[in-house]
Amino acid sequence: MKAIRGATTLAADEPSEMRGKVRELLERIVSANKLRVGDIICIMFSSTADIRCMYPAKAAREAGFSACPLYSSSEPEIDGSLDLCVRVMVLADIDRAPKPVYLHGARVLRRDVAQIINIALDGPAGSGKSTVAKMVAKKFDILYLDTGAMYRAAALKCVKEGVDYAEGSQVERVVGNIDLKVEYRDGRQLTLLDGADVSDQIRTPQISMLASYVSAYPFVRKKMVELQRRIASEVSCILDGRDIGTNVLPDCPFKFYLTASPEVRARRRYEEERAKGSSVTFEDTLKELNERDAQDRNRAVAPLKCADDAVVVDTSEMTAEEVADTICRKIQESI
Ligand code: DC
């Protein structure tokens, strides 16, 4: 016998929502676990305290799951719990490993039992990765790891130490001893270099180019990739970068690659820079972006590249919300 876990959230505390979502959840559990009618021994639900419209067991019976005992309970109010969430445990007479099913952002309700999920989001500068990654992280209540910030911090360290970037040995000495930490405060990633918060200092066009330059050194990549893999093994997160799907987490089950034309990407960067008060021109932004693309694509170690098994999303004509929705939908369809 195996216990199969699952959960879903409701969009509203209404019977029609409960009926639709409970049916969907149970049908997905049945198909993911290849259950036959007689395999199910019993189904137990709990719903968060804000759900009053209907017991999930009733919705399950109405959906045709009536050949086994059904049970529902209501959870006490718990700080930090998801809103309008229904959890289920299906006991089934199977030997194979159970496949949990978490829908509509209910995946990490119980961090202690939820398995760690990693999402790889790669693509060139200005393809919309960071905006989209933040949205997806919020939706699934997971961390957003901005790996570019780590290469940027390495570049900033080189600037501070006055090293000659073309001299690999100098860069290696400085980056080899780097004190780099990534912390989260109020859901925002802070990049700490030698204990100081450099999150804003690393966002300049000069650091963009230098980050691209120093990231081509194998020892710089080795150091950053170790840190990225450690974080990804400890917490559920979406990582954005250039080589996440190909090199950092090649076995990651969720890989996305964002693209957009150079003009569209440069326009986005240009508008970001202008909003910060910079006087850059569109032409310079486009030139810098093309140079950085070429540098990132052509370096010998872990270049910017789409993984063979990544889902490609062309964001040229899409809003960030549309891209994030596409990604979330694809993930939900396959878990
Ligand atoms: O994503 P970004 O613009 O913040 O990245 C800055 C540079 O860092 C980018 O031009 C190439 C490098 N980078 C990388 O080589 N690998 C990553 N996973 C992330 C960034």
Side-chain angles (χ1 to χ4, degrees), residues 3 7 19 31 44 46 54 72 121 143 147 156 174 200 209 229 261 297 314 321 333:
R19 290 191 178 99
S31 69
M44 293 174 279
S46 72
M54 179 184 196
S72 291
L121 186 62
L143 282 187
T147 65
L156 181 63
V174 165
D200 294 328
M209 271 319 274
R229 286 193 182 136
S261 69
R297 284 203 170 95
D314 185 339
E321 284 81 8
E333 277 164 16

Side-chain angles (χ1 to χ4, degrees), residues 216-236:
Y217 285 116
F219 47 84
V220 173
R221 302 206 70 79
K222 186 166 178 287
K223 182 112 189 153
M224 302 301 148
V225 170
E226 271 168 17
L227 185 53
Q228 291 157 18
R229 286 193 182 136
R230 187 166 56 69
I231 296 173
S233 71
E234 288 170 356
V235 287
S236 289

Side-chain angles (χ1 to χ4, degrees), residues 67-78:
C68 63
L70 300 167
Y71 170 81
S72 291
S73 66
S74 191
E75 294 175 13
E77 284 197 36
I78 299 167

Side-chain angles (χ1 to χ4, degrees), residues 121-126 129-130 144 146-152 202-203 207-216 221 224-225 228 239-244 248 269 288 292-293 295-296 299 301-304:
L121 186 62
D122 289 305
K129 296 184 306 286
S130 65
Y144 160 45
D146 172 0
T147 65
M150 298 162 77
Y151 293 97
R152 286 169 180 270
I202 57 176
R203 301 279 153 207
I207 294 293
S208 299
M209 271 319 274
L210 289 178
S212 170
Y213 194 89
V214 301
S215 70
R221 302 206 70 79
M224 302 301 148
V225 170
Q228 291 157 18
L239 300 88
D240 84 353
R242 304 291 188 286
D243 63 334
I244 310 300
V248 181
R269 275 290 136 91
E288 186 247 341
R292 193 143 75 96
D293 272 5
Q295 215 163 259
D296 292 345
R299 66 175 175 235
V301 187
L304 164 65

